[in-house]
Amino acid sequence: MPDSQEETTPSRPRGSGPSQADLAEIQGGDRPENSSTPDLSGVDLKGEDLSKADLRGADLSGADLEGVNLSGLDLTGTDLTRANLRRATLVGTCLTDAILDHASLQGAELLGATLTGADLSDVDASGAGFGGANASGADFFNANLASATFTKG
């Protein structure tokens, strides 16, 4: 038997809610610069208050963010691959270089959002509002933009 045993952390089941520690870390909005980015992949965040969250560079791939208010947040470099953002509010949100490949943005509000360099390929953004958004250099390859609105702000 080895002298020291490594402590293992059980993995969170996909689709489960975040731990209280995960939520406390992101909700305060004052994550130390040298801390690791939160792994919230596959979690159900419906109904959570993320208005002051620090999600820069977080892994939210496959997360359920339906109807969540993410307005004004800095989501630079965040991985939202296959995330459910239906009816989410992302007004003034910075999504620079974010990955939203295959995400659902149906009916989402992205008014004044910054999508510079974001990957929105294969996204379903039907009925989404992009009024005043900066989508310079964003990749909308094969995206469903039926009934989405793009107006100058």
Side-chain angles (χ1 to χ4, degrees), residues 35 74 81 101 133 140 148:
S35 70
D74 182 356
T81 302
D101 182 43
F140 284 93

Side-chain angles (χ1 to χ4, degrees), residues 1-150:
M1 183 170 200
D3 293 331
S4 66
Q5 293 182 357
E6 285 186 40
E7 187 176 311
T8 59
T9 304
S11 63
R12 175 180 23 81
R14 189 153 183 86
S16 67
S19 71
Q20 290 304 312
D22 287 339
L23 281 176
E25 178 183 348
I26 63 169
Q27 286 177 327
D30 55 359
R31 190 176 80 221
E33 274 191 45
N34 61 351
S35 70
S36 62
T37 56
D39 179 358
L40 298 168
S41 56
V43 299
D44 182 348
L45 293 167
K46 278 192 278 188
E48 295 294 340
D49 179 9
L50 301 178
S51 61
K52 295 181 182 173
D54 185 350
L55 297 170
R56 290 168 294 150
D59 182 355
L60 288 161
S61 58
D64 190 348
L65 299 161
E66 184 168 349
V68 171
N69 184 354
L70 299 167
S71 293
L73 293 182
D74 182 356
L75 300 179
T76 299
T78 300
D79 185 354
L80 291 154
T81 302
R82 296 189 186 283
N84 175 12
L85 291 154
R86 288 184 188 102
R87 295 180 298 285
T89 305
L90 297 111
V91 175
T93 301
C94 180
L95 291 156
T96 299
D97 297 324
I99 305 164
L100 292 110
D101 182 43
H102 286 90
S104 176
L105 287 165
Q106 295 167 312
E109 291 296 328
L110 293 105
L111 306 174
T114 303
L115 299 163
T116 308
D119 179 1
L120 292 116
S121 53
D122 294 297
V123 73
D124 183 354
S126 54
F130 291 92
N134 177 358
S136 175
D139 181 1
F140 284 93
F141 178 75
N142 207 33
N144 178 0
L145 300 172
S147 302
T149 56
F150 291 84

